[in-house]
């Protein structure tokens, strides 16, 4: 599934921030609010190895996006996702609204699988986000549904999956960051000014 | 700037104007140069000389979504009527080019060039470097010619088109303890930082670094040779700078390509085997200094510096050391490089350098090779002079 569903001129790509993923897409999904554009599909992670996401998940650059159900067991047909010990809060304004976890895909059976370059960012809504007012523009409407959706707020997660190879020429790598090479050049510029010892 | 697409008042959530280099060149800049209408007026014309980088984000904002990068068209004007250099000074500072221009390809076809510039506050040469970076893209006049003859990119500005429209991307350099909220942040995962280093080394990055180093070293040695060299016998050693610096740059690129895969268990950890030459030797100084600066970059570059990363640079150390040691005529003159600790790379294993040369020269005859063969011949003269 590509980005072709929207009619934007060249140069516009699906490149959501963490906050947008949580506040706009995940929150609306969990609150059963209409999502415009409704472009992120739902996938059962158990049946999907990361290399099978192409065509099933929404692709933006080298990233794939999809909703899935929260599950303790993250095994797929050929491997499993293992979290690394980094968690990050996602804030909207000054309010914590979500949690971001990072997982690495291992091929084989836990715990003896072989590590791959596939990385997943997994976003959870924090408890109570759906019921708290003022976290986003849609919160006023979500208030009405508070009683129904509260229990479900943690049921959905939204995922961003990519293969971490910076060599691949994708638009998200395209000159957006200074390459390591550029950094080297920059530091040599400094050396010029210092002048090498004789 | 308001954005309206098919009646919609704004770009849908999650979408950003983040064009690929190909989109910038082949769609936006091509239309600009041809004065064709661009569907959506997202890239504005800017007079670079009248715009400070910190004002760009206001001027080049697209919609209301937060942006990390800004785009504009700029018409390049010559600095002097007779010259080819571009004036990129503003009221508060100036944009200074860094590194070498990068060739932009689309499916193996060369479409343009990218120049990287850094903003310095103040006036040259006393400017203060800022974190503002600009990538300046220009279309390629030679896009139909044989890409090999241009493969190395332009060496001097004089050879390139310095007049006309360019499209620019401006962004603020992130420091390397980056926030992890951005999906394009490759360093958010430990292994990413490592792969980035490795991969940047694989696409002739090292070649570029070495050329750059060679250039600065050459300037240095030229500066030295301006001193009265022959009058002082202790200066003799300085003459070796040239052969080493050139031979190092000339074939290191090729040898680096032959290295086994990084992280491969067959790589011995050679880092400890490398004993730098005595520091009072001028060559040792020069190389040590260069290596130190590379290490400094690496350490600075990756807060997640890990074993594999070290191995990467250990490999570079090893190569440099092996070249210092094994480099036929030149190094045999240097007593300090007869150190037995260099025995891991014996002279016998080294490929014949002149063969390397023929190989390199025959493959394209591009600018790089020409340059290198020039310096190479210059250095051979030097060698023979010294060994007499």
């Amino acid at each position: 599934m590509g980005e072709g569903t929207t009619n934007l001129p060249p140069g516009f790509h699906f490149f959501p921030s963490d906050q947008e993923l949580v506040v706009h897409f995940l929150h609306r999904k969990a609150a059963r609010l209409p999502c415009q554009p409704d472009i992120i599909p739902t996938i059962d992670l158990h049946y999907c190895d990361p290399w099978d996401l192409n065509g099933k998940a929404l692709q933006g650059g080298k990233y794939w996006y999809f909703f899935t159900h929260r599950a303790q067991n993250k095994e797929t047909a050929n491997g499993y996702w293992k979290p690394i010990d980094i968690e990050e809060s996602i804030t909207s304004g000054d309010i914590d609204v979500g949690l971001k976890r990072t997982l690495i895909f291992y091929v084989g059976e836990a715990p003896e699988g072989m590590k791959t370059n596939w990385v997943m960012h997994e976003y959870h809504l924090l408890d109570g986000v759906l019921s708290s007012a003022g976290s986003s523009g849609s919160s006023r409407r979500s208030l009405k549904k508070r009683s129904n959706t509260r229990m479900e707020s943690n049921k959905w997660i939204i995922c961003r999956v990519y293969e971490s190879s910076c060599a691949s020429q994708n638009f998200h790598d395209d000159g957006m960051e200074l390459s390591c090479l550029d950094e080297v050049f920059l530091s040599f510029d400094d050396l010029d000014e210092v002048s090498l010892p004789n | 700037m308001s954005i309206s697409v098919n009646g919609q008042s704004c770009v849908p959530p999650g979408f950003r104007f983040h064009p690929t280099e190909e989109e910038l060149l082949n769609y936006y800049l091509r239309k600009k140069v041809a004065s064709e209408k661009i569907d959506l007026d997202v890239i504005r014309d800017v007079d670079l000389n009248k715009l400070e980088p910190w004002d760009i984000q206001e001027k080049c904002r697209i919609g209301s979504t937060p942006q990390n990068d800004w785009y504009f068209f700029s018409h390049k004007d010559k600095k002097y009527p007779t010259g080819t250099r571009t004036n990129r000074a503003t009221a508060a500072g100036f944009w200074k080019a860094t590194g070498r221009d990068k060739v932009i390809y689309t499916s193996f076809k060369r479409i343009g060039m990218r120049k990287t510039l850094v903003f310095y506050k103040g006036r040259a040469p006393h400017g203060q470097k800022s974190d503002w970076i600009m990538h300046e893209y220009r279309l390629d006049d030679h896009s139909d010619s044989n890409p090999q003859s241009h493969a190395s990119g332009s060496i001097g500005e004089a050879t390139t088109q310095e007049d006309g429209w360019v499209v620019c991307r401006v962004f603020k350099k992130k420091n390397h303890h980056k926030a992890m909220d951005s999906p394009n942040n490759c360093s958010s995962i430990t292994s990413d930082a490592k792969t980035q280093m490795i991969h940047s080394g694989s696409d002739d990055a090292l070649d570029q670094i070495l050329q750059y180093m060679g250039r600065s070293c050459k300037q240095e040695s030229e500066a030295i040779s301006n001193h009265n060299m022959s009058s002082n016998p202790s200066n003799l050693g300085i003459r070796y700078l040239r052969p080493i610096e050139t031979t190092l740059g000339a074939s290191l690129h090729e040898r680096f390509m032959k290295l086994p895969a990084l992280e491969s268990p067959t790589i011995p950890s050679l880092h400890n085997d490398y004993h730098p030459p005595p520091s009072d030797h001028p060559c040792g100084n020069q190389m040590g200094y260069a290596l130190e600066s590379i290490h400094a970059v690496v350490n600075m570059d990756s807060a997640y510096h890990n074993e594999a990363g070290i191995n990467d640079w250990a490999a570079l150390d090893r190569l440099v050391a092996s070249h210092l040691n094994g480099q036929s005529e030149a190094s045999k003159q240097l007593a300090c490089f007869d150190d037995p600790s260099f025995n891991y790379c014996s002279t016998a294993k080294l490929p014949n350098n002149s063969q390397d040369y023929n190989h390199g020269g025959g493959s394209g005859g591009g600018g790089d090779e020409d340059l290198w063969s020039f310096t190479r011949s210059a250095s051979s003269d030097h060698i023979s002079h010294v060994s007499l």
Side-chain angles (χ1 to χ4, degrees):
Chain A
M1 194 178 293
E3 300 169 7
T5 45
T6 57
N7 225 344
L8 290 166
F12 285 90
H13 299 276
F14 190 64
F15 188 42
S17 65
D18 290 350
Q19 195 199 70
E20 275 175 317
L21 283 177
V22 172
V23 172
H24 187 81
F25 292 98
L26 182 56
H27 178 257
R28 285 181 162 263
K29 176 85 170 176
R32 293 184 191 165
L33 290 165
C35 200
Q36 278 298 332
D38 188 10
I39 47 174
I40 300 185
T42 301
I43 282 177
D44 189 338
L45 202 57
H46 292 298
Y47 296 104
C48 218
D49 290 316
W51 46 87
D52 290 333
L53 288 171
N54 202 4
K56 293 178 185 162
L58 171 68
Q59 188 175 2
K62 66 170 191 172
Y63 302 92
W64 283 271
Y65 301 87
F66 57 90
F67 291 111
T68 191
H69 288 288
R70 185 179 184 172
Q72 291 299 320
N73 174 4
K74 292 204 168 56
E75 285 175 15
T76 69
N78 291 300
Y80 57 97
W81 290 98
K82 186 182 168 189
I84 62 171
D85 287 337
I86 297 178
E87 281 194 0
E88 197 192 336
S89 336
I90 308 300
T91 56
S92 172
D94 288 333
I95 305 159
D96 281 358
V97 290
L99 197 64
K100 174 183 178 179
R101 287 203 189 104
T102 301
L103 302 93
I104 307 287
F105 190 74
Y106 288 73
V107 172
E109 291 203 11
E112 272 116 26
M114 201 173 66
K115 194 176 174 180
T116 69
N117 282 333
W118 287 96
V119 179
M120 183 195 297
H121 295 159
E122 182 188 270
Y123 299 86
H124 302 251
L125 276 183
L126 284 185
D127 285 329
V129 168
L130 284 176
S131 55
S132 69
S135 63
S136 75
S138 60
S139 58
R140 202 172 290 273
R141 270 193 286 170
S142 70
L143 269 176
K144 296 177 198 162
K145 301 202 173 196
R146 162 165 62 180
S147 51
N148 305 338
T149 54
R150 187 160 199 175
M151 295 304 290
E152 287 182 40
S153 66
N154 278 324
K155 183 179 154 192
W156 291 104
I157 55 174
I158 193 165
C159 302
R160 175 198 286 132
V161 172
Y162 63 99
E163 194 174 10
S164 72
S165 157
C166 289
S168 59
Q169 285 299 310
N170 285 294
F171 67 82
H172 290 157
D173 302 329
D174 257 4
M176 180 50 203
E177 296 270 314
L178 273 191
S179 66
C180 297
L181 179 60
D182 285 332
E183 297 279 4
V184 172
F185 284 140
L186 275 178
S187 67
F188 278 128
D189 286 347
D190 287 342
L191 289 184
D192 278 352
E193 285 150 26
V194 173
S195 96
L196 296 166
N198 287 335
Chain B
M1 187 185 301
S2 67
I3 297 216
S4 169
V5 189
N6 298 339
Q8 271 188 292
S9 63
C10 65
V11 179
F15 284 82
R16 295 267 182 290
F17 185 64
H18 194 80
T20 63
E21 296 181 319
E22 185 186 344
E23 284 168 332
L24 276 178
L25 283 165
N26 267 353
Y27 183 81
Y28 286 100
L29 188 54
R30 239 175 243 294
K31 278 184 180 276
K32 183 72 185 176
V33 168
S35 304
E36 286 174 39
K37 188 181 177 302
I38 295 173
D39 292 348
L40 197 58
D41 189 22
V42 284
I43 303 185
R44 297 185 63 166
D45 295 355
V46 150
D47 184 346
L48 192 62
N49 303 116
K50 292 180 182 151
L51 190 65
E52 309 300 338
W54 41 88
D55 295 330
I56 287 175
Q57 44 187 316
E58 183 58 34
K59 184 136 186 165
C60 302
R61 194 169 39 185
I62 299 171
S64 56
T65 48
Q67 281 174 260
N68 296 319
D69 47 346
W70 296 270
Y71 300 84
F72 57 84
F73 291 118
S74 167
H75 196 272
K76 290 216 283 185
D77 299 310
K78 287 177 182 170
K79 193 168 190 172
Y80 310 105
T82 51
T84 54
R85 287 160 67 201
T86 307
N87 179 15
R88 295 191 188 87
T90 70
F94 58 96
W95 291 97
K96 184 186 171 196
T98 184
R100 279 204 303 170
D101 293 2
K102 182 192 167 199
V103 184
I104 308 297
Y105 293 98
T106 165
S107 43
F108 304 109
K109 186 171 176 286
R110 182 182 154 127
I111 54 168
M113 301 287 288
R114 182 182 88 188
K115 187 188 285 299
T116 303
L117 303 108
V118 187
F119 189 77
Y120 286 71
K121 290 173 203 161
R123 281 284 167 259
H126 302 295
Q128 185 198 351
K129 187 154 78 178
S130 74
D131 285 338
W132 288 99
I133 309 290
M134 175 160 68
H135 284 155
E136 182 190 271
Y137 296 90
R138 62 179 186 270
L139 286 171
D140 200 345
D141 285 339
H142 316 286
S143 31
D144 295 328
S145 54
N146 177 12
Q148 277 200 329
S149 59
H150 303 281
S152 57
S154 66
I155 290 175
E157 291 207 347
T159 61
T160 63
Q161 179 203 4
E162 285 297 307
D163 225 359
W165 286 106
V166 291
V167 63
C168 301
R169 181 209 319 264
V170 167
F171 58 97
K172 216 168 175 185
K173 185 164 81 87
K174 285 183 185 160
N175 293 318
H176 280 276
H177 39 84
K178 299 172 179 177
M180 296 167 75
D181 58 353
S182 164
N184 65 342
N185 174 7
C186 290
S187 314
S188 61
I189 304 302
T190 313
S191 60
D192 281 358
K194 176 184 66 197
T195 36
Q196 186 166 3
M197 289 307 299
I198 292 168
H199 286 297
S200 66
S202 66
D203 59 348
D204 87 339
L206 191 62
D207 179 43
Q208 292 198 30
I209 295 174
L210 286 165
Q211 191 187 350
Y212 195 83
M213 279 171 62
R215 222 191 299 153
S216 359
C217 291
K218 214 175 317 166
Q219 285 165 1
E220 180 67 15
S221 53
E222 273 160 14
I224 291 168
S225 61
N226 285 341
H227 294 197
N228 194 357
M229 211 163 108
S230 51
S231 67
N232 183 356
S234 71
N235 273 338
L236 193 64
I238 290 170
R239 300 186 179 200
Y240 292 113
L241 283 177
R242 200 177 281 257
I244 287 169
E245 151 250 300
T246 47
T247 47
L248 163 73
S251 49
L252 192 50
H253 159 64
E254 222 174 294
R255 291 183 53 76
F256 190 78
M257 295 309 171
K258 292 170 190 162
L259 279 175
L262 291 155
E263 278 194 302
S264 141
T266 56
I267 298 187
S269 176
L270 290 165
H271 200 255
N272 296 333
D273 297 346
Y274 168 58
H275 302 292
S279 59
D280 57 346
H281 195 282
C283 305
N285 265 340
Q286 184 90 2
M287 283 322 301
Y289 192 76
L291 286 175
E292 259 173 43
S293 55
I294 292 177
H295 283 303
V297 171
V298 176
N299 289 330
M300 186 181 68
D301 197 57
S302 167
Y304 311 97
H305 202 61
N306 54 32
E307 262 187 24
I310 290 168
N311 267 341
D312 194 6
W313 292 97
L316 183 60
D317 278 0
R318 180 162 46 101
L319 278 167
V320 171
S322 73
H323 276 262
L324 287 176
N325 178 47
Q327 208 51 258
S328 51
E329 324 102 308
S331 58
K332 278 180 185 161
Q333 310 280 330
L334 303 171
C336 67
F337 294 133
D338 290 335
D339 188 320
S341 62
F342 285 97
N343 59 4
Y344 49 77
C345 185
S346 72
T347 320
K349 282 186 202 159
L350 284 171
N352 185 317
N353 265 313
S354 55
Q355 263 180 9
D356 280 0
Y357 252 84
N358 293 337
H359 177 68
S363 66
D368 263 359
E369 282 87 358
D370 288 348
L371 182 70
W372 284 121
S373 20
F374 172 73
T375 49
R376 168 77 181 165
S377 56
S379 68
S380 331
D381 291 344
H382 234 351
I383 292 165
S384 51
H385 175 67
V386 169
S387 40
L388 278 176

